[in-house]
Structure formats: C-alpha cells, structure tokens
Amino acid sequence: MPDIFKTFRSFLIAGSVLGALYGAPVQAADEKTADSKAAEAAPPPATPAADDEALLKRGADVAIAADCMACHTTKNGKPFAGGLKIATPMGNVISTNITPDPEHGIGKYTETQFDEAVRHGIRADGANLYPVMPYVSYAGMTDQDMKALYAWFMHRVQPVATTPPETALTFPANVRSAMKVWNLLAASETPETGDSMTFDSLRRGKYLANALEHCGTCHTPRNFMLGEKTDRYLGGGQLAGWYAPNITSSETGGIGDWSEDDLVAYLKTGRVHGRAQAAGSMGEVVSFSTSKLSDTDLHALAAYIKQVPALDDEVDHKARDSFGQPMNDPDIRTAVPKRIDNLDQMSALQIFDDNCAACHGRNGAGTTDRAVPSLFSNSVVGSARPDNLIMVILNGVDRKVGDHHAFMHGFNDQSQVERLSDAEIASLVNFLMEKFGSGSVNVTAEKVAEFRKQ
Amino acid sequence: MSSENLSADVVIVGSGVAGSSIANELVRAGISVIVLEAGPRVDRQHFVENFRNLENKPSYQGPFPSVPWAPHPPDQQTPNEYLHTSGPDAEAYQQVYLRMIGGTTWHWAGCAWRYLPSDFELKSRYGQGRDWALKYDDLEPFYYQAEVMMGVCGPDPAVEDLGSPRRQPYPMDALPISYAAQQFRKLIDEKTPWRVVHEPQARNTRPYANRPTCEGHNNCMPICPIGAMYNGSYSVYDAEAAGATFIPNAVVYKIERDEANKLVTAVHYLDPDKGSHRVTGKYFVIAAHCIETAKLLLVSADDKSPTGVANSSDQVGRNMMDHTGVQVTFISGDKALWPGRGPLETNVIDNFRDGDWRNERGAYLVHMVDDNQVDLATQMAIAKGYVGRELEERIRYLAAHTVRLFSHNEALPDPNNRLTLNKTRKDALGIPHPDVYYKLPEYTVRSCEHTRKVFRELIGLMHGTDEQWTPGYFPQDHPSGSTIMGVDPKDSVVDGHCRTHNHENLFIASSSVFSTVGTGNITLTVAALALRVADTLKKELNHA
C-alpha cells in the first residue's frame, strides 16, 4: 500500500486549518446515524442486467484490471469480503466488505451510489472514503465500464455476511470530512468516454495504466499534499517499506533497457530472468490482476509504459538490472564445526552461504531452471536503494500466478526457518550489494530495524 | 536454591516434537506452560554452517556437537563418550539423538509413517510381544492432527493404500518419484510379487506453513538448509508465539512428589553453572526422548521410590527396542539409476510390514535410499587403482549404478534389554551417563535373516556386484519401550493415555511408551501420542 500517511498527518492538520479559514467547519460525521438513515432512505437498487453476459464479462475484466481484489480480500479470506489491514502511522485502515450482501456489503448501493464511491470517493451515507481507495485514478473510468463493474459486483460476487472491523484512525485522520478539502486539491484522472474496448492501442494502454491498474498510485511520488506529482509520473514512489521503482523509459534510472516483451512477461508471470521479479504489493498486482489480462491488453499497457517520458532517477544512474556477475570466492571451509552454543555473529560470507546459497547457488546464479532467480542482473540487488532487498529478506516472496507459486520464506522474527537479527541482515544486504549489485551503501542495523517495523 | 518463582499449569521436560507440540496445543487453549530443555537454543544457520564445515558429510551427528551440561552421543561408534552399550548386540544399540531446543527432528529423514492397526495388537493377533493399551482407531484423529502440524505429503489412499486407514487425505500430495525410484519400481513390479510405495514424508511438496517446497538438497540428515522438512523448532516457534515459555540449558535432575508419593509437585533443574531451580505445576509431562526419559526417572530415585519414579513395576528402563536392521550397498549391473535426486528416503517395499508369519518372525520394511553415492563411488574407484580420466569415468559409472538398501526390522519388548545408570561416568553436572544392555530378540534375528534373503534376491535381479554388507546389525535411532505402556500397573509404566500408573499428574510423551515398535519410523506416532496427551490435559485442566 502507498505509504501516503507519512505526509497525510501534516496534510490533515493543514486541511483542518483550511477548513476553518474557509468557514466550512470540519464535522466528524456521526456515521452510525448516517448509516441507518441511508439504509432507511435508500431505494432498493435497480436491477442491472442480470443476464447481459457481455456486460457481466466486461465487469469481471474491469474488476481484475482495477485490482479490487488486492485490497478488499485478506489472505485466505473470502473474495471481496474486506478486512485487510493497511498499517498507517495513525492506525490501521481496514478495507471494507464490497460483496453484494445487503447488510454487511454494498448490496443496497444503487448504481449511482456505487459510482460515487468508486469514482469520487463518497460512500452511500455521504461520508468520504480515505484516498487509500484510489478513486482519483478510477475517476478516469468510462461510464460504460462503471456500469459493467456495478453489474458484475451485484450479480457475480458471492455475498459474504461479515463486517470487517471499522477503520479507527486517531485524530485528526478520523475526521473523514477532511477528505473533502483534499479532494478539491488532488488531481483526479480525467474521465474517459466511449467504449474502452474500442480504443486504439495507445489510448487503451493509457486507460489501463491510469484509470484501472492505477500504476501511478504507487510508482508516482507524492507531493506534500499527498497528490501524485504529475511532473514525476511513474518516476518512483516510496511505499510502506517497499520502493515502487522508476518505471519510466529512462535507460539509466528506469526500465528503458526492457523490451515490450520483457514488460509483458513481467506483468504476466511476475518474473523476467536477468531483470526483476515481483514481490510485496507488486507481487499481488501480478497475482490478482496483470497476470489475468489478455495479451492484447498487456501489450497495450506495456507499449504505453514504454513511451512514458524518461525521467532520470535521483539515486540509480545505471540500469538496475545491469550489475554483477557470478561470485567466485575462495572456499571458506575449515573442516572444524563450531561449538554448538557459540552463536556469535558470523561473517557476511558465512551468512550468505548458510541462508542464501542453498537456493540461489554459492555463486549467486540461481537455479538453471530459473525457478530461483540469480542475484546478479537483478533489479532488486542492483538498485542503489536497498529498500526492496531489505524488505524481501525480511518478508520473503509469496506470489501465485496460475499454477506457479513463487515462494521464499522471510527471515524476520516470524520466520519458521531462520530469524536473522538486524545486524545480520545489514551485513548480508551490504555483502549482496557489493558482490552482485552496484556497491554497498553501508546499511546499518538501525536502518534494518526501521524496515522491520513496517 | 534460587528464589525465583517458576510455576505453570503444565511443566514439560523436553522441547522436541513431543514436548513442543504439547506446549503449543495447551497454550492455545489458555493453559500456561513452561518447557525445560537440557540443551541450548541454536538456529538453523549455525547448523548449516557446521554442516558445510564438516569433512565427513554423512556423519549426521557431526554438525551438532553437544554441550558439556547436556551431552548426547557423538556418533554411533562403540564405545562412545556418552551412551555406553553392552551385551551380545551392543553395537546394534548405538542410538544417536540430540539434546537442544527442537530436539532430534533437526536431523531425520522426515519419514512419517502411521503404524498399522495390527502393530497395536501384536499379542492378540500373533501371540508375540504385547498389545498396546490403545487401538489404532483411538490414535487416528491424532495421526491426522500430527500430519497437518508437521506438513506430511503422501499418496492418495485410493491409489496406494498404505494399510493404515485414513479419514482424510494427506495434507500434501506425494513427492514426485525420482528417476532412480522409477527404475527400481519397474524392476519390482515386473520381476517380483512385491510393490514399492511412496514413503509418507514430513516434507513440503508445495509451500506449506510459510516454509518452502523441498528442492532435493538431499542432506535432510544432518540438516535441511531451507526448512522444507519438519523440525521440532517450528512447534517451538508456534508455542512461543502463543505464549509458552521455553527455558534452554535447564537440565532436569529430580522429580519431586508429595508426601503420599501420589502427585508430582515439582521438577528441579540445574543450569550450566550448577545452580538449582525448582519448577512447580499442576501437571508434568516428561518428553525427553526414550533414553533421557528413562534416565530421568531413574536418577530421581529416593527413599520413597528407591528404584526410580513411576517405577513400581520395575519396568522403567527395560524393554528397549529399535528397528535394528540390515544394510547392503552394491553395484547394479543393469542400466544406470542415478540415485541422489533426493530427498533421502522416498521409496519403500512394504510387503513385509504385516502377515501371518508375524507369529514367528518380525515384520520389516525396505528402503531404497535415494542418496548421492559419489563419496562411496570415489572410495571404491580409488581402491581399485583407477587414475586420471579412467578414475573420473569410473566414479561416474559407480555413482550412477550404486544401490543402497536397508531395512527396519521389528523388535520385541524384552525386559532384559535394559537401560541403567552408569556407576562411574557422569556428565559435567554430575548426572550419571546411561548404560544399555542389548541382545537382539530371536524374533528380530529371524526377521533380519529373511531380509538378507530378500536383499540377495534383489541383488541377483539387478545383476549386482561388489556387495558391501554393513557388519552385524544396523541401529536405526528409533529407541523405544523404556517406559512401556500397558493396562496392568504391575508390568507397565504408563496407561493408554500415557499417564504413569503411579502418579496421576505425570505423563510421558515419547517413544519410550511404545509397547511394540512396528516397522514405520517412529516420529509420527510420537507426535500423535503427544497430541493425545495434550487433548487429555486440556480436558482435565479446562473442566477441572
């Protein structure tokens, strides 16, 4: 999830001040009352075309492309029943049940109310959604796709009669109406019109990237008001721990060295040998969304991304996947086992040898069948930002695409396999970047500790 | 005496698969637990580091040197520095095990057999040995619970029925069989009346419980480098996450009872500096491995129980059993098998696990081991004088054609096969070392003779040469029987719920309670019995 709440706090304070200045007092909505009123007042939803298979198919495709699943479904939970916790400095935002259950989900939403929520961030009871819900992106959807999405949710999603816990942020973020001020200031996508399936390739690619997949939500950095910096479009954004890298066409800072086919393969499978593999939020994007797009859509999306204006990167000055080679270090073996209770921290080479080499190979080349990626020619290790390398060591990889399950256990303090200390991970990260990447950036144990808290 | 107040609803001695899984079950039911482990806490990377440094890779005890205050056998040699065996078959009882957080499943081959229903009724069905004080059906739900806990893969019972009825399928699909195993299966199918089955394994065939899929590193013993195989350490982590307290380096040396000698009131442990600590509780579980459990009951002897705690039957330390077996390595004259894909043990001939002949000779199962044979092949090629390119070619040939077979042969409980305390040798804390007298029961000898005949037949079918038989008998590290289960307190130590006959709040969770030893590896049955103990304790503590 985007780590927008780091600056959210200052914005909300500013928002309250703005609200006061403009004489529009910020009110904490009495949501319970609003809810019950809405329930009484709302007419039963007009029945959308339950048998319009073309429309329903379109709706299913839109839901996949817009990746509703990633946030509105917990791991092992029922689809769209909500409950996923998104940690923020002001408490957890908890995604809601968007199944068509009338009491616990959105079953009573009219098409208009649904549209208001998805494209404008306003709930049926009038309260504002938090912009964790990417309604500024979905604002770009066509009326036709909105209609299809509504029909699909109402008819094809299994109702689930459970209500996830309420989001309870601390003040001032708990004042939902403060969002009204933000909405005035944040740039929304311009709505597209017509039939999105008939768009030419470039327009279709842009529509997919911006209105549906909302790439910019993560990959575009945000300004101090938390709006996306339009002049740094897809130039790389900081998330909670993970870094969504620069994916502009820059050959030094972005992915200009990738072919369109590389990008399609990445979005379809989550991995491209010698370039990168998806983990964290991007792993979910691939699992739930991009791996299910048609090849035509994938090529349209890739071609659009490929022509996004190149932006240099502040940190990475050479393609992230262009570093490193197989390691060829002398044998460090002594033939003498250590005493069993001697748990002194080992050397970085030993930590690598005992925790990484079994799968990634002692030379770091991965497996010949490419099930385990090589550590060199790898964007995660090659980037001068250690963020994703630290995060993947802590949290591992758990990416399902079709029948393929890419899994690496994490090394954090919940790991069943090995729990590395902050100092051990720092030592390992510096070693990996030195041997296989663009050089050590002297990550400290304290820095690892910060990532561990994410 | 320290002044700390160590107390819990249930105090468990031993943190291996039995102790840690009981702790996990209890603490998740709101019952407080303290687990005392004699050995240290060590993480996987340090074991892997030791393994990588090890010259003798097959020495599976090698990466786990013990600490002075909790010694374990350093190897299977006789004599060794800790477990002193004597008797006609002393060498056949050189068991090894580990004393440390997580226990001996740090190194095991992951074989997760259920026993057969007949294994629990050897006496009534075949007139041999004893009956257990429980039936297969009593254990079936706990077998499944153990399989889920450990993550066991196995065959679809509709396709390959292993003889132990199941209510649920295995949690994971069976391992894909290796090329070597395919060749072996083909031979057995075509040329013998027997069959080869998938060995059930506590090993991931898909990502399971946040652990990865097995990659066939093939060093399950001594250490799985990636956590694809079950280790007791996972149950320790799970129990700790739910609030159980594990105290490493806590060597229990005394079991204290009340005035009437009916209830256990505390256990006492020594820390590595010989400081003594008293831990009180409502219930106590000794889950300290067959050998250490019997040793602890014996060292706790005092005026009230001069022959040891829970020992009014005089059976503590007796009836020591194992799957003592036969092993042969030979060079197949048929086409290359290329063993070594791993994991180590995946294929078993199971035709000799049960039959009417069990009234006179023990049952057994046969492993065709899928381990890498380059070490052995190299030794053989050098010994035969090959050099240069021919040496390389010979190693290649031998490594591709070497076959290793070994068996698990059923022992019987014999009171004369006995663990006692060594009178002179003591560990760093002054606790006596264990001695074991062992003579292989005739029942097992006859079983081993039958196995040798079958092995010779297989060698003939594969046009084998260069047979190397392991001399004598081959210990399997499956010691059992030292606190034997039975319905009669006069001739057994625990009842069908693993509760000691003498002390109603003292339970034993270990292979030491086995009344007979069957043929399958013992760990899954240890885990199932342990989970059943946890179930009993939950009922008694939560309904008290």
Side-chain angles (χ1 to χ4, degrees), chain A residues 168-224:
Chain A
L169 300 184
T170 51
F171 185 82
N174 59 348
V175 184
R176 282 181 178 269
S177 48
M179 293 298 105
K180 290 189 203 303
V181 184
W182 187 79
N183 288 343
L184 290 174
L185 300 164
S188 283
E189 274 300 302
T190 314
E192 265 287 12
T193 53
D195 180 351
S196 67
M197 289 306 287
T198 64
F199 293 171
D200 64 53
S201 179
L202 196 62
R203 190 175 166 199
R204 176 75 186 163
K206 184 181 180 192
Y207 181 70
L208 282 163
N210 295 342
L212 297 179
E213 294 286 357
H214 56 285
C215 309
T217 302
C218 296
H219 286 279
T220 302
R222 293 183 181 256
N223 59 30
F224 78 101

Side-chain angles (χ1 to χ4, degrees), chain A residues 416-417, chain B residues 44 211 227-239:
Chain A
Q416 290 285 71
V417 180
Chain B
R44 183 180 309 270
R211 296 183 285 108
M229 182 178 72
Y230 174 83
N231 305 132
S233 57
Y234 313 140
S235 299
V236 174
Y237 282 144
D238 288 342

Side-chain angles (χ1 to χ4, degrees), chain A residues 55-178:
Chain A
L55 184 75
L56 290 165
K57 170 77 172 62
R58 169 78 67 101
D61 291 346
V62 171
I64 284 170
D67 202 8
C68 311
M69 177 79 91
C71 291
H72 284 279
T73 306
T74 57
K75 194 175 180 180
N76 305 321
K78 293 198 172 137
F80 305 109
L84 190 77
K85 283 182 192 165
I86 300 145
T88 82
M90 279 174 276
N92 291 329
V93 171
I94 300 166
S95 65
T96 52
N97 181 336
I98 54 168
T99 71
D101 184 274
E103 302 307 323
H104 304 271
I106 57 168
K108 288 181 178 163
Y109 272 56
T110 64
E111 194 172 322
T112 310
Q113 287 170 329
F114 183 78
D115 182 10
E116 279 294 300
V118 175
R119 290 199 290 190
H120 306 289
I122 298 165
R123 286 198 319 214
D125 64 2
N128 286 77
L129 298 175
Y130 293 113
V132 171
M133 165 74 179
Y135 55 84
V136 292
S137 301
Y138 295 155
M141 283 165 62
T142 63
D143 291 347
Q144 187 190 25
D145 285 347
M146 270 309 303
K147 196 178 195 64
L149 185 64
Y150 178 67
W152 184 77
F153 263 102
M154 289 299 158
H155 293 297
R156 290 295 153 88
V157 172
Q158 203 61 36
V160 179
T162 56
T163 303
E166 275 285 313
T167 294
L169 300 184
T170 51
F171 185 82
N174 59 348
V175 184
R176 282 181 178 269
S177 48

Side-chain angles (χ1 to χ4, degrees), chain B residues 180-226:
Chain B
Q182 284 173 29
Q183 304 308 307
F184 188 66
R185 273 188 176 225
K186 197 158 161 259
L187 174 95
I188 299 296
D189 280 350
E190 290 174 0
K191 301 195 174 160
T192 78
W194 312 319
R195 67 168 189 174
V196 176
V197 294
H198 280 93
E199 180 143 33
Q201 299 259 305
R203 185 186 312 289
N204 289 357
T205 54
R206 60 178 165 84
Y208 185 91
N210 285 317
R211 296 183 285 108
T213 307
C214 175
E215 295 174 328
H217 289 281
N218 215 349
N219 46 263
C220 325
M221 295 175 82
I223 182 73
C224 175
I226 63 168

Side-chain angles (χ1 to χ4, degrees), chain A residues 333-335 337-338 340-341 343-344 346 350 353-355 358-359 405 407 415-420 424, chain B residues 41-47 49-50 52-53 63 65 67 69 207 210-212 215 217 226 234 237-238:
Chain A
R333 295 302 150 207
T334 61
K338 288 164 69 124
I340 207 67
D341 54 334
L343 301 181
D344 296 347
M346 297 187 286
Q350 286 170 319
D353 214 24
D354 298 332
N355 292 291
C359 299
H405 190 171
F407 182 88
S415 176
Q416 290 285 71
V417 180
E418 178 61 58
R419 300 177 177 189
L420 293 178
E424 285 169 328
Chain B
R41 177 190 284 272
V42 185
D43 54 346
R44 183 180 309 270
Q45 61 176 343
H46 288 88
F47 295 141
E49 175 65 16
N50 274 353
R52 299 231 192 276
N53 277 323
V67 291
W69 55 90
N210 285 317
R211 296 183 285 108
E215 295 174 328
H217 289 281
I226 63 168
Y234 313 140
Y237 282 144
D238 288 342

Side-chain angles (χ1 to χ4, degrees), chain A residues 209-397:
Chain A
N210 295 342
L212 297 179
E213 294 286 357
H214 56 285
C215 309
T217 302
C218 296
H219 286 279
T220 302
R222 293 183 181 256
N223 59 30
F224 78 101
M225 290 296 281
L226 287 163
E228 291 172 25
K229 281 186 190 170
T230 45
D231 61 338
R232 293 289 303 168
Y233 179 62
L234 303 187
Q238 185 69 55
L239 311 183
W242 299 92
Y243 188 80
N246 181 331
I247 52 167
T248 69
S249 55
S250 164
E251 292 200 0
T252 56
I255 54 171
D257 60 333
W258 291 40
S259 68
E260 184 179 307
D261 285 345
D262 286 341
L263 200 44
V264 168
Y266 181 85
L267 294 169
K268 204 178 171 84
T269 65
R271 53 184 177 152
V272 179
H273 178 68
R275 297 221 182 277
Q277 49 292 309
S281 308
M282 192 63 203
E284 292 174 6
V285 168
V286 174
S287 293
F288 297 131
S289 181
T290 57
S291 63
K292 298 176 179 172
L293 295 182
S294 70
D295 284 358
T296 313
D297 271 357
L298 282 173
H299 277 280
L301 179 55
Y304 171 74
I305 299 285
K306 283 284 296 170
Q307 59 80 60
V308 163
L311 292 173
D312 287 342
D313 197 89
E314 288 170 12
V315 173
D316 288 319
H317 304 300
K318 186 163 175 264
R320 296 183 293 274
D321 53 17
S322 64
F323 294 95
Q325 59 191 0
M327 183 172 73
N328 186 21
D329 271 18
D331 193 351
I332 56 171
R333 295 302 150 207
T334 61
V336 182
K338 288 164 69 124
R339 197 173 123 161
I340 207 67
D341 54 334
N342 178 356
L343 301 181
D344 296 347
Q345 185 174 328
M346 297 187 286
S347 73
L349 181 55
Q350 286 170 319
I351 295 172
F352 167 77
D353 214 24
D354 298 332
N355 292 291
C356 314
C359 299
H360 289 283
R362 187 154 194 285
N363 62 3
T367 53
T368 48
D369 67 357
R370 297 178 181 177
V372 180
S374 87
L375 296 172
F376 50 88
S377 305
N378 188 324
S379 296
V380 175
V381 187
S383 173
R385 287 186 183 84
D387 307 39
N388 290 354
L389 185 55
I390 297 171
M391 287 298 278
V392 84
I393 292 171
L394 281 169
N395 301 303
V397 178

